[in-house]
Amino acid sequence: MKAYNSLWSENDFIQKTAQKWLKQGFLSKEQSSEIEKSYPHDYYDPNIFLKIGLFVFTILAASVSVSLMSIFFISIYETNLNAAFVIQSLIIGGVFFLLLENLIKGRKLYHSGVDNALIYMALGAFCTAIYFLFENLNPPTWLFLMLFLPLFIATTIRYAESVACTLTYFLILGIFVTIALESFWGKTLLPFIMMIVSAGMYFAVKKLSTRKDYLYYETCLTILKTLSLITFYLGGNYLIVREGNVLINNLSLSISPQVAFASIFYFFTTVIPMAYIFFGLRNRDRLMLILGLITLGFSIFTYRFYFAILPIEIALTVGGILLIALAGGLIHYLKITKKGFTYQPDDEFEGFNLEAMLMSQLVQSKIPQQGDTFRFGGGDSGGGGSGGNY
């Protein structure tokens, strides 16, 4: 089901955690070194610049190959353009996926740039084939999106690729939006439909986050969680709803008209950012807290867009002073850790971290013993006299 070895993501997580705890003083250099040996990076892991170079090179090489391949389809292009596009796209997509699978197994590629490029090109080829296959039927947009969706879902499940995951989310949301836009009541209830779909995706991500293979999909789940929180807020934001109503209905007005359920959207614009901040603090969820602060700023902009009281320069000055004062007050207040919160970055936090201590002991327990070359203590079992002999 998974193209990559699940141990790669687990080992990567363990090594990053070990390096973090080494900086914090929870692990010694010897323990960190032993963890690296026991949980190695046995896959190809180039630096970011090399990844970009490999990605671009793969795109260029594949484009040249596709261009050369097109020569063999010239006669088909002249007789039936759609059939030529469908056949060639299916062949190209199949070749790219086969090449991708062989490189992952043979070269141990793991999001190295080459495999990412092959995934995008294979998806593009299959989507092209689907489009030209059904183009003559003139189907609605939502039907095209539904035809693309299984391909993107399968790709996300197998490769846990972040861009494919992002496109999968927008395909799901786009299906509901395009269906709603085909009717009057759908247009009217579109903001609520967006919020319902976003909420459903968020709780689905929360459920999936409890899976044992969470680390394999960690990046994808984080992306889905972020997008669902953002679209949930935008679906209820008064400015987005009011100005979006003008675009949807092709209204040519200097001032956008009031929308239905305006008081409800005023309520959402105010409450949703506060809810994000509250639950972000309560659950110590940094992502939700950050989004709460960002959406709060956008909510302030929304109200000022329609109800400007002060000139923009004065409003920005006053807002800046208040934010600086608030930030300074919080830094001073959190110099001493209060209920698990501190202003210091994690890597510089010198306080006692029970979770880190327990996890380091768990990692140590999984490291195979190697005689006298690696002993944590003076006992027979390597654990500080735990065997009874000192």
Side-chain angles (χ1 to χ4, degrees):
M1 194 125 182
K2 301 180 182 66
Y4 302 106
N5 190 337
S6 297
L7 291 177
W8 294 349
S9 55
E10 295 174 8
N11 290 357
D12 182 61
F13 171 78
I14 291 173
Q15 284 206 23
K16 288 180 180 178
T17 305
Q19 290 298 318
K20 176 182 175 182
W21 290 346
L22 176 63
K23 292 180 181 180
Q24 295 175 335
F26 295 118
L27 292 176
S28 65
K29 291 183 178 179
E30 292 77 12
Q31 290 171 331
S32 177
S33 177
E34 194 64 31
I35 289 173
E36 290 182 3
K37 294 178 183 178
S38 301
Y39 302 90
H41 275 165
D42 56 347
Y43 56 85
Y44 183 56
D45 185 27
N47 61 57
I48 183 63
F49 299 104
L50 188 54
K51 285 182 180 181
I52 295 174
L54 290 172
F55 179 87
V56 174
F57 175 79
T58 305
I59 294 290
L60 292 176
S63 299
V64 172
S65 301
V66 171
S67 300
L68 292 174
M69 182 182 177
S70 300
I71 297 175
F72 299 98
F73 288 85
I74 291 178
S75 59
I76 304 178
Y77 280 125
E78 293 175 350
T79 57
N80 193 328
L81 184 63
N82 277 26
F85 270 117
V86 171
I87 295 172
Q88 185 179 2
S89 298
L90 289 175
I91 293 174
I92 291 171
V95 170
F96 283 159
F97 269 128
L98 287 175
L99 180 60
L100 172 65
E101 293 289 332
N102 288 329
L103 288 175
I104 290 174
K105 293 178 181 178
R107 299 292 182 178
K108 294 186 176 181
L109 302 184
Y110 184 56
H111 302 306
S112 63
V114 176
D115 46 341
N116 299 89
L118 289 173
I119 289 172
Y120 303 155
M121 290 186 296
L123 284 173
F126 280 120
C127 288
T128 301
I130 293 172
Y131 175 79
F132 281 101
L133 187 63
F134 293 95
E135 181 191 19
N136 292 332
L137 300 177
N138 195 25
T141 303
W142 60 266
L143 184 56
F144 266 126
L145 298 181
M146 290 190 70
L147 293 172
F148 295 152
L149 184 59
L151 179 63
F152 280 84
I153 291 177
T155 302
T156 302
I157 292 174
R158 182 158 181 79
Y159 300 103
E161 211 286 322
S162 55
V163 174
C165 173
T166 303
L167 294 175
T168 301
Y169 179 84
F170 285 113
L171 280 175
I172 295 173
L173 190 64
I175 290 170
F176 287 94
V177 170
T178 51
I179 291 175
L181 290 177
E182 293 188 353
S183 66
F184 169 78
W185 282 108
K187 292 179 181 179
T188 304
L189 299 176
L190 180 59
F192 302 104
I193 293 173
M194 283 187 59
M195 296 180 73
I196 292 172
V197 174
S198 301
M201 290 295 294
Y202 175 80
F203 288 110
V205 169
K206 292 281 287 184
K207 183 69 175 179
L208 292 172
S209 298
T210 61
R211 290 173 57 96
K212 293 181 179 179
D213 55 356
Y214 165 77
L215 289 176
Y216 187 83
Y217 297 104
E218 180 182 16
T219 301
C220 290
L221 293 175
T222 301
I223 290 172
L224 292 175
K225 179 181 177 182
T226 304
L227 292 175
S228 62
L229 290 172
I230 292 174
T231 54
F232 181 80
Y233 168 76
L234 293 178
N237 178 268
Y238 178 78
L239 185 147
I240 299 297
V241 173
R242 181 167 172 172
E243 301 304 320
N245 178 63
V246 175
L247 296 175
I248 291 173
N249 294 287
N250 297 318
L251 302 177
S252 299
L253 300 172
S254 58
I255 300 177
S256 57
Q258 184 63 280
V259 294
F261 314 113
S263 58
I264 296 178
F265 295 117
Y266 281 130
F267 175 78
F268 285 152
T269 303
T270 304
V271 170
I272 292 177
M274 294 182 178
Y276 285 178
I277 294 173
F278 173 78
F279 287 107
L281 292 171
R282 181 181 180 182
N283 300 326
R284 291 172 177 79
D285 188 331
R286 179 176 296 179
L287 174 61
M288 184 171 284
L289 177 59
I290 292 173
L291 289 177
L293 294 172
I294 293 173
T295 54
L296 178 61
F298 192 75
S299 292
I300 294 173
F301 170 78
T302 297
Y303 283 111
R304 196 192 179 284
F305 186 83
Y306 296 105
F307 309 105
I309 300 175
L310 298 174
I312 183 64
E313 58 275 9
I314 296 178
L316 289 174
T317 302
V318 173
I321 293 173
L322 292 175
L323 288 175
I324 291 173
L326 177 62
L330 287 174
I331 288 174
H332 178 75
Y333 178 73
L334 294 174
K335 279 187 176 180
I336 300 175
T337 304
K338 304 290 178 62
K339 297 182 179 180
F341 295 98
T342 178
Y343 86 99
Q344 295 178 347
D346 288 343
D347 291 343
E348 299 177 5
F349 179 47
E350 298 178 353
F352 180 75
N353 190 323
L354 179 60
E355 180 184 3
M357 185 194 72
L358 293 176
M359 285 299 296
S360 66
Q361 294 295 326
L362 176 62
V363 170
Q364 290 173 12
S365 68
K366 292 184 177 181
I367 297 175
Q369 299 300 316
Q370 302 176 5
D372 293 331
T373 60
F374 184 65
R375 299 178 67 84
F376 290 113
D380 291 338
S381 64
S386 57
N389 296 326
Y390 296 86

